[in-house]
Amino acid sequence: EDDEDGNGMAAWERAYADERSWESLQEDESGLLRPIDSKSAQHAQYRRRLRVVSRIQKGLIRFLYVVVDLSRAAGETDFRPKRMTVVAKHVETFIREFFDQNPLSHIGLVTIKDGVAQCLTDLGGSPDSHIKALYSKLECSGDSSLQNALDLVHGYLSEIPSYGHREVLILYSALSTCDPDNIMESIQKCKKAKIRCSVIGLSAEIYICKHLCEETGGSYSVALDESHFKELLLEHAPPPPAIAEFAVANLIKMGFPQRGAEGLLSICSCHKEAKVGGGYTCPRCKARMCELPTECRICGLTLVSSPHLARSYHHLFPISTFTDVPTPPSNSHQKLPRTCFGCQQMFQSPGNVPILRVACPKCKQHFCLDCDIYIHESLHNCPGCESFK
């Protein structure tokens, strides 16, 4: 059926007009259309990213504020159904991926609308509380003020200990900023406080955002479509390279609290209310916390659990990059494994076309492209090396 915004087009016609799927078609050598090999393109992009970030010292304890622009520009429909809906959906994915990659880090949310920056959630380690708070405030109105957002996060991040990496990720929809004062002074304050500011634009490149990222050592990019926006956002989930002048390496005092009994009634220092069962008890001051990792609200001790430290291990000692294995010629007598060592799938497609494969430089076992991505991004252990142990 037609609707008011369809300009007389049917639903299936609008889908083609909006998605412009014909721009993604590929041709072979003879000029015939061929299916798009998205899996190979995804793997090539992943391999490029792996070569760039491997063997670089990274900051494991991050304090990140995600600034979401909810001005009237977030109500535009170039991202379907609206920009703010797409942003909220992918921010949820980013928050969960962030805590999976950085179990010792903290996130806070800040929104900009009506020319005012508002702290939606304080720095914390609970993804569910951040996501719930974001979805409860999805309303766009007024203008965007980049300076107010920078001043707000500067006030919070300037109190972070010297060992923490201070970061700001701004998801900016507007094409202008309505500031009460000179924004250059706010940028210099962030630079002096060693706050790394990055911006992902949803409309077009803006000079002030580019200048902010250049001054503070962050990255600036503009999303072309929804999939590109998700890709740019998830690039900020892994720990960034650690710059010596940004975070001083020193010893950190941590506590490993015990989980409370299920039927115990105690006052939670996080929410300042009585709760029954669960929770964690600070080993120093015996205060109760709801979740880990966090800082004790009473004595300031950093509280973590042993799995959090174990999950940070793969950033300190990452797996070596697997090498591409060339396909031998048909008349060659070289014998290669017929199945992937990880998933046991054949290296031959139904049409007897050889599938690309990679090999671990240590154990020499061969893996398919899907297993390569899974091993480096999720498993963080080589099955071949572990089996020899």
Side-chain angles (χ1 to χ4, degrees), residues 133-371:
L134 177 62
Y135 278 109
S136 65
K137 297 291 185 180
L138 277 186
E139 299 174 356
C140 57
S141 61
D143 297 319
S144 179
S145 177
L146 193 59
Q147 184 184 15
N148 286 336
L150 293 177
D151 290 341
L152 181 64
V153 297
H154 174 269
Y156 289 117
L157 292 178
S158 58
E159 306 297 328
I160 295 301
S162 60
Y163 58 77
H165 286 255
R166 309 167 185 180
E167 302 175 54
V168 178
L169 176 59
I170 304 174
L171 309 179
Y172 208 67
S173 298
L175 285 171
S176 61
T177 173
C178 182
D179 300 324
D181 204 351
N182 187 2
I183 191 175
M184 295 299 178
E185 297 178 359
S186 300
I187 294 176
Q188 292 304 315
K189 285 197 302 182
C190 291
K191 180 180 180 181
K192 186 177 180 180
K194 299 181 176 60
I195 299 175
R196 183 175 183 264
C197 301
S198 300
V199 180
I200 299 178
L202 281 86
S203 50
E205 182 174 304
I206 308 173
Y207 169 76
I208 192 62
C209 294
K210 186 175 182 180
H211 178 71
L212 168 65
C213 298
E214 290 176 349
E215 288 292 310
T216 58
S219 61
Y220 180 44
S221 49
V222 178
L224 302 177
D225 51 31
E226 182 176 346
S227 60
H228 188 220
F229 172 72
K230 180 181 179 181
E231 175 189 328
L232 294 174
L233 188 58
L234 292 180
E235 285 181 357
H236 293 272
I243 303 175
E245 60 186 28
F246 274 46
V248 182
N250 52 16
L251 297 176
I252 304 170
K253 185 176 291 187
M254 291 186 176
F256 296 87
Q258 293 182 348
R259 185 169 178 83
E262 291 300 326
L264 183 65
L265 176 64
S266 58
I267 298 178
C268 169
S269 61
C270 308
H271 303 89
K272 299 179 177 61
E273 60 184 26
K275 292 189 176 182
V276 180
Y280 300 89
T281 303
C282 174
R284 177 189 284 174
C285 65
K286 308 304 179 185
R288 170 182 164 148
M289 305 291 163
C290 289
E291 57 204 15
L292 297 179
T294 186
E295 286 190 0
C296 179
R297 301 296 180 93
I298 308 301
C299 63
L301 181 66
T302 301
L303 304 177
V304 297
S305 63
S306 53
H308 291 141
L309 294 179
R311 284 163 53 195
S312 302
Y313 180 83
H314 64 263
H315 291 306
L316 301 176
F317 303 98
I319 304 176
S320 302
T321 305
F322 290 175
T323 56
D324 295 324
V325 179
T327 304
S330 57
N331 58 355
S332 174
H333 297 287
Q334 181 184 1
K335 291 187 177 181
L336 297 178
R338 299 181 62 185
T339 60
C340 169
F341 186 81
C343 62
Q344 299 299 313
Q345 294 292 325
M346 297 288 293
F347 280 120
Q348 294 285 341
S349 63
N352 263 346
V353 179
I355 299 176
L356 296 176
R357 62 175 76 192
V358 292
C360 175
K362 294 182 179 179
C363 65
K364 307 302 180 184
Q365 297 292 346
H366 289 202
F367 298 92
C368 63
L369 304 186
D370 291 334
C371 287

